[in-house]
Amino acid sequence: MIKRVLVTGGAGFLGSHLCERLVKAKQDVICVDNFFTSQKSNIEHLLPEPNFELIRHDITEPLMLEVDEIFNLACPAAPGHYQYNPIKTTKTSVMGAINMLGLAKRTGARIFHASTSEVYGDPDIHPQPETYRGNVNPIGPRACYDEGKRAAETLFFDYHRQNKVQIKVVRIFNTYGPRMHPFDGRVVSNFIRQALCGEPLTIYGDGSQTRSFCYVDDLINGFLSMMESSEDITGPINLGNPGEFTIRQLAEKVIAISGEDVQINVARELPQDDPLQRQPDITLARTLLDWEPTIPLDTGLARTIEWMRSVDISSFRAPTPNY
Ligand code: NAD
Ligand code: UDP
């Protein structure tokens, strides 16, 4: 059956990959985006497709549509982007969730929400299972994003309990791949852009902090499995690659795989509230969704480097000065 599927944030990094998969699966796809952190080039190739439609819209405003499924991804995700206008970031998470949940309630659509590992803050339990309630500083520079996402989760579960809305909440851990904004300030995009431009790779702090990096294709498989899972599976479910690396190891890999002759620069301090470690416990995703990532970091980095080499970096509008 062809479904009418709304993807908010559909022109972004993850959203564009999701739209692509849904268009290929012959669904009737509506992409909604305000282009705050993305550009049309991400979805340009989808525009001629008869089952793809683009609406420029800000999800902090109500939206009247008739849909069967909603993937709610709209929100700036890179620290530099979400800290650029922190009040707007919280509004997008919270008012955006209310508007999209209202749409789901009116139409009876099933709604998926892109939450984040940031709900765990700087975790003191490692790796992080979904039962861990987190260690978030509610007044720090990351709070607009972390607390916005936590409040959105609350709204999803209250709409589910109070209004019987069918919800699907996933907590995404650091994901990378082609179409990441080269100037978004995230560590993978920064390191690859710097290496390709012959600049030193900027490690913040001493580089011993860890992250777990998931390749985008693996993550999108997880999104689709979650949306298709039985109604009783509401989440939250962690989606990420459990392979854990220090930021220094990542820098060394980018240099080795790109083959560029660049140095590592460790002059900058660790940003405030920057989590020291992060690794998903994906037992629940393995058990309930039969999902796990398959693409190793080296392979994913090689693909991402190849992609960034193939684009004109200067054609990307840097939405914030944080890079
Ligand atoms: P992205 O910045 O590339 O995409 C976000 C998209 O949302 C952009 O196209 C942006 O223009 C759009 N947007 C922002 N505010 C909007 C608004 N008010 N109305 C309409 N559109 C708006 O980021 P991404 O990495 O693709 O992240 C997508 C989602 O996944 C986000 O909700 C993010 O919090 C979540 N997430 C991503 C990661 C990751 O590692 N990529 C990790 C955890 C969670
Ligand atoms: N980081 C870094 N150099 C950079 C960009 C980021 O060392 O040029 C570090 C950052 O301080 C953090 C980690 O890399 O410890 C991941 O940062 P990112 O912004 O990608 O995502 P986060 O997981 O912090 O949201």
Side-chain angles (χ1 to χ4, degrees), residues 80-92:
H81 287 171
Y82 67 64
Q83 289 169 20
Y84 177 69
N85 184 345
I87 296 170
K88 180 64 193 267
T89 298
T90 304
K91 279 188 184 171
T92 295

Side-chain angles (χ1 to χ4, degrees), residues 12-14 33-34 36-38 58-59 73 145 149 175 186:
F13 161 49
L14 298 180
D33 207 296
N34 70 350
F36 173 51
T37 60
S38 57
D58 189 314
I59 63 155
L73 272 58
Y145 183 72
K149 290 284 187 180
T175 300
R186 286 189 261 201

Side-chain angles (χ1 to χ4, degrees), residues 94-115:
V94 176
M95 293 164 65
I98 291 170
N99 287 328
M100 291 308 114
L101 284 160
L103 178 60
K105 181 182 160 192
R106 181 177 61 76
T107 57
R110 179 176 276 202
I111 181 165
F112 169 105
H113 181 62
S115 189

Side-chain angles (χ1 to χ4, degrees), residues 24-319:
K24 275 193 190 132
K26 305 285 179 218
Q27 304 297 354
D28 184 4
V29 182
I30 307 165
C31 165
V32 160
D33 207 296
N34 70 350
F35 293 103
F36 173 51
T37 60
S38 57
Q39 43 250 306
K40 275 200 194 135
S41 58
N42 281 350
I43 41 135
E44 205 174 9
H45 59 299
L46 298 175
L47 292 174
E49 300 293 338
N51 58 334
F52 181 78
E53 192 178 341
L54 170 66
I55 302 175
R56 186 186 284 259
H57 174 82
D58 189 314
I59 63 155
T60 60
E61 301 290 338
L63 179 65
M64 296 300 274
L65 288 173
E66 304 308 314
V67 290
D68 303 305
E69 285 182 354
I70 304 168
F71 285 89
N72 187 39
L73 272 58
C75 188
H81 287 171
Y82 67 64
Q83 289 169 20
Y84 177 69
N85 184 345
I87 296 170
K88 180 64 193 267
T89 298
T90 304
K91 279 188 184 171
T92 295
S93 269
V94 176
M95 293 164 65
I98 291 170
N99 287 328
M100 291 308 114
L101 284 160
L103 178 60
K105 181 182 160 192
R106 181 177 61 76
T107 57
R110 179 176 276 202
I111 181 165
F112 169 105
H113 181 62
S115 189
T116 170
S117 55
E118 294 285 340
V119 300
Y120 302 125
D122 187 6
D124 37 31
I125 291 195
H126 195 70
Q128 295 81 54
E130 291 81 352
T131 46
Y132 177 52
R133 293 188 184 172
N135 176 31
V136 172
N137 174 2
I139 56 168
R142 295 175 82 102
C144 58
Y145 183 72
D146 303 7
E147 297 290 12
K149 290 284 187 180
R150 287 172 69 97
E153 284 199 11
T154 307
L155 284 161
F156 269 75
F157 280 84
D158 282 334
Y159 269 78
H160 174 64
R161 281 186 289 257
Q162 197 175 327
N163 299 123
K164 309 285 174 265
V165 171
Q166 284 187 51
I167 59 161
K168 301 276 172 191
V169 177
V170 298
R171 293 179 178 156
I172 306 164
F173 285 64
N174 299 60
T175 300
Y176 69 100
R179 302 202 201 111
M180 289 190 91
H181 195 300
F183 296 100
D184 68 10
R186 286 189 261 201
V187 69
V188 175
S189 21
N190 260 13
F191 284 178
I192 295 179
R193 192 195 75 247
Q194 289 162 340
L196 298 187
C197 295
E199 295 166 9
L201 273 53
T202 52
I203 287 186
Y204 305 162
D206 64 5
S208 64
Q209 72 272 31
T210 68
R211 293 292 186 274
S212 304
F213 300 99
C214 184
Y215 188 69
V216 61
D217 292 358
D218 279 333
L219 187 81
I220 302 299
N221 287 339
F223 282 14
L224 297 172
S225 300
M226 180 63 168
M227 189 56 124
E228 284 157 16
S229 63
S230 62
E231 193 177 334
D232 57 312
I233 299 178
T234 58
I237 295 187
N238 289 340
L239 292 181
N241 191 321
E244 186 184 8
F245 297 88
T246 66
I247 295 304
R248 180 173 286 278
Q249 284 173 323
L250 179 74
E252 286 163 355
K253 276 183 183 295
V254 168
I255 294 175
I257 297 168
S258 68
E260 300 291 339
D261 182 19
V262 287
Q263 304 296 311
I264 288 178
N265 179 335
V266 286
R268 206 169 131 167
E269 276 183 20
L270 197 63
Q272 189 190 332
D273 297 336
D274 197 293
L276 293 180
Q277 52 182 4
R278 188 183 288 153
Q279 184 191 30
D281 177 336
I282 59 163
T283 311
L284 212 52
R286 280 196 179 108
T287 316
L288 296 179
L289 306 178
D290 194 23
W291 175 86
E292 67 182 335
T294 57
I295 298 168
L297 183 56
D298 287 30
T299 311
L301 283 178
R303 289 183 194 171
T304 312
I305 290 168
E306 193 186 325
W307 169 78
M308 211 182 279
R309 261 195 229 286
S310 74
V311 297
D312 173 9
I313 293 181
S314 68
S315 71
F316 284 83
R317 189 171 43 92

